[in-house]
Amino acid sequence: METEQQLQEAVKAGDRQAMRRLYERYKGYAMSIGLRYIPDDEDVEDVVQDSFVKILTSFKQFDYRGDGSLAAWIGKIVANKAIDFVRKHEHISFTGTIPDVADEEPELESIPQDVLTKMIARLPAGYRLVLNLYVFEHCSHSEIAHRLGIQEKSSSSQLARARQMMTKMMADYIKQHET
């Protein structure tokens, strides 16, 4: 199998087949990132397509820094495109409503990944953005505040509320699926 470095070198050289291989290799990864931010599959597909246009048109700026750097770069572009989409198409509100909280944190391992992704998609847009940026993109509250144009305190409180909602949804799921 072609290594990440070999693939990126071929794409940088303008090899159209390598561009196709890049798309095929990372499309699923890009979709999984997009689905964390955007609940609608068709919208995610559009964002992924736009992301790959940006990836391929700006590929000369990519600097290979070792195994995993290409995937990380692609993931960052997809996440940024998804955030732009959400900001443009969804009403983002940062609310003070706190959901009912489960008594204890459920076991994350007992919930399938696709179910967790759907739970994240059900979060209000503001919660969803902050949760994704903090948990998956490893952004600090300062970075999140800057990217979303909110205060750090808002980022922190939105993350807490998102976690509370996720905990409740996970507890409900486990309760429904206990045997």
Side-chain angles (χ1 to χ4, degrees):
M1 178 174 197
E2 183 175 42
T3 67
E4 190 177 76
Q5 185 174 14
Q6 291 168 329
L7 180 59
Q8 73 87 28
E9 287 170 357
V11 171
K12 266 193 176 174
D15 181 337
R16 291 179 100 34
Q17 291 301 319
M19 292 176 193
R20 171 53 96 191
R21 290 191 308 273
L22 175 85
Y23 176 78
E24 293 300 326
R25 185 170 177 175
Y26 291 101
K27 181 185 179 197
Y29 172 66
M31 288 291 293
S32 69
I33 292 170
L35 284 167
R36 287 196 321 251
Y37 289 92
I38 304 166
D40 182 71
D41 290 352
E42 289 180 16
D43 290 338
V44 172
E45 287 179 18
D46 290 343
V47 167
V48 167
Q49 291 300 323
D50 290 346
S51 297
F52 273 97
V53 168
K54 178 165 177 78
I55 289 162
L56 293 172
T57 58
S58 61
F59 207 85
K60 295 218 184 291
Q61 285 106 21
F62 171 67
D63 183 28
Y64 183 77
R65 294 186 176 156
D67 215 23
S69 63
L70 178 58
W73 183 68
I74 289 170
K76 189 170 189 92
I77 290 172
V78 174
N80 287 336
K81 286 286 188 183
I83 291 167
D84 290 346
F85 179 89
V86 171
R87 292 177 96 181
K88 184 175 181 182
H89 293 94
E90 290 187 48
H91 174 70
I92 302 173
S93 62
F94 296 97
T95 87
T97 307
I98 298 176
D100 294 333
V101 183
D103 293 335
E104 57 187 58
E105 295 223 359
E107 288 296 319
L108 194 61
E109 297 80 29
S110 64
I111 303 174
Q113 186 64 44
D114 63 319
V115 173
L116 285 171
T117 300
K118 288 175 184 169
M119 288 176 184
I120 292 170
R122 289 184 7 222
L123 292 172
Y127 293 4
R128 193 170 62 240
L129 288 176
V130 171
L131 178 78
N132 278 297
L133 287 168
Y134 188 84
V135 173
F136 298 105
E137 308 303 325
H138 308 288
C139 293
S140 67
H141 288 298
S142 174
E143 292 168 320
I144 294 168
H146 179 74
R147 284 178 82 174
L148 299 180
I150 60 175
Q151 293 184 6
E152 278 185 57
K153 290 179 195 175
S154 294
S155 173
S156 178
S157 67
Q158 296 305 297
L159 177 62
R161 291 180 181 116
R163 283 181 168 164
Q164 289 172 335
M165 285 187 77
M166 287 295 297
T167 299
K168 173 129 176 54
M169 285 189 275
M170 290 185 295
D172 290 348
Y173 176 86
I174 290 169
K175 191 181 212 180
Q176 287 178 343
H177 293 87
E178 285 178 342
T179 40

